[in-house]
Amino acid sequence: MPRSKYDTTHPHASTIRSIANLKHPCMDVIYDFKVIYPLLYEWFQDDLTPEYAQTFMDKYNEIKDIPVVLSNRSRLYIVTGMRYVPLALFNMDESILNNIQHSVDDFPYVLSDPGYYICDAGCDPSHSISLFIFKGNELVFDYDRIPLTLLIHLLQAFPKENQINTACVRQDFYAKPRRNSDCN
């Protein structure tokens, strides 16, 4: 199977890849994460170590002044641990995005009270699973803590539409151990 080629000649290819390991660079990601990073920081700032907060702010500062012309299509991102993007969907039908939004609202394990925490000292941001939906230049839906089960359902429902390059994950968990097996 041929490996996907990432366009490294794109002027912001490495910046985009540092945000989300997309199959192809997309400038919308820079625009969207100019919105997403401050929200994540606001939601979890009380639980961040000073070093992590600085790293997070450095990442935001790297993109904040990059000019972006949007493609004016819909985008959905799930961000885990404030920095890893396991799911990115682009140009999805509005009915599908509305259904996902209603799934979050209706999912039985979503915590409706924002003052409620699973742990006494707040929630560890490394365990957060956040959802963001953009339409054009507008953030139309965000949720700071969707359940893991819903993330798994979305990953199962949209494997072909997911714009994240998962080849490295497959390489690390499947191909590499088979090549380096001690059982010969």
Side-chain angles (χ1 to χ4, degrees):
M1 174 185 269
R3 295 179 189 220
S4 63
K5 304 269 192 232
Y6 188 78
D7 181 7
T8 56
T9 62
H10 188 282
H12 298 289
S14 64
T15 300
I16 294 168
R17 185 168 255 177
S18 75
I19 296 169
N21 188 20
L22 298 176
K23 295 173 183 173
H24 306 282
C26 173
M27 288 298 288
D28 291 356
V29 171
I30 291 177
Y31 176 87
D32 297 340
F33 276 79
K34 288 181 189 182
V35 175
I36 291 171
Y37 282 152
L39 278 173
L40 290 171
Y41 186 79
E42 176 185 326
W43 292 339
F44 300 111
Q45 65 183 335
D46 294 337
D47 300 312
L48 299 176
T49 65
E51 298 82 17
Y52 193 85
Q54 184 60 50
T55 301
F56 193 71
M57 292 313 296
D58 290 345
K59 198 161 191 68
Y60 173 74
N61 289 332
E62 179 184 350
I63 65 170
K64 72 178 182 178
D65 296 324
I66 297 174
V68 176
V69 176
L70 286 175
S71 66
N72 204 29
R73 58 185 174 174
S74 62
R75 286 126 18 235
L76 176 146
Y77 304 96
I78 291 189
V79 181
T80 63
M82 293 184 62
R83 61 182 169 195
Y84 178 68
V85 181
L87 183 67
L89 304 174
F90 298 153
N91 212 23
M92 300 298 289
D93 291 343
E94 189 165 340
S95 61
I96 293 171
L97 295 175
N98 289 340
N99 186 52
I100 292 171
Q101 182 176 341
H102 293 304
S103 295
V104 171
D105 292 336
D106 297 337
F107 203 85
Y109 301 107
V110 173
L111 303 173
S112 57
D113 179 5
Y116 176 78
Y117 292 105
I118 294 172
C119 49
D120 292 338
C123 291
D124 181 350
S126 67
H127 298 142
S128 67
I129 304 172
S130 306
L131 171 69
F132 303 91
I133 298 175
F134 290 84
K135 293 180 184 168
N137 65 349
E138 183 181 356
L139 174 65
V140 295
F141 185 75
D142 60 88
Y143 207 89
D144 63 336
R145 50 193 166 173
I146 67 167
L148 176 62
T149 305
L150 183 56
L151 167 61
I152 292 168
H153 288 179
L154 292 172
L155 288 169
Q156 290 172 334
F158 300 105
K160 289 182 172 75
E161 296 85 357
N162 192 357
Q163 296 301 304
I164 299 299
N165 182 354
T166 60
C168 291
V169 175
R170 181 167 172 80
Q171 170 71 16
D172 286 346
F173 283 97
Y174 182 75
K176 193 186 297 183
R178 292 181 76 203
R179 281 195 307 272
N180 299 330
S181 176
D182 290 331
C183 303
N184 289 331

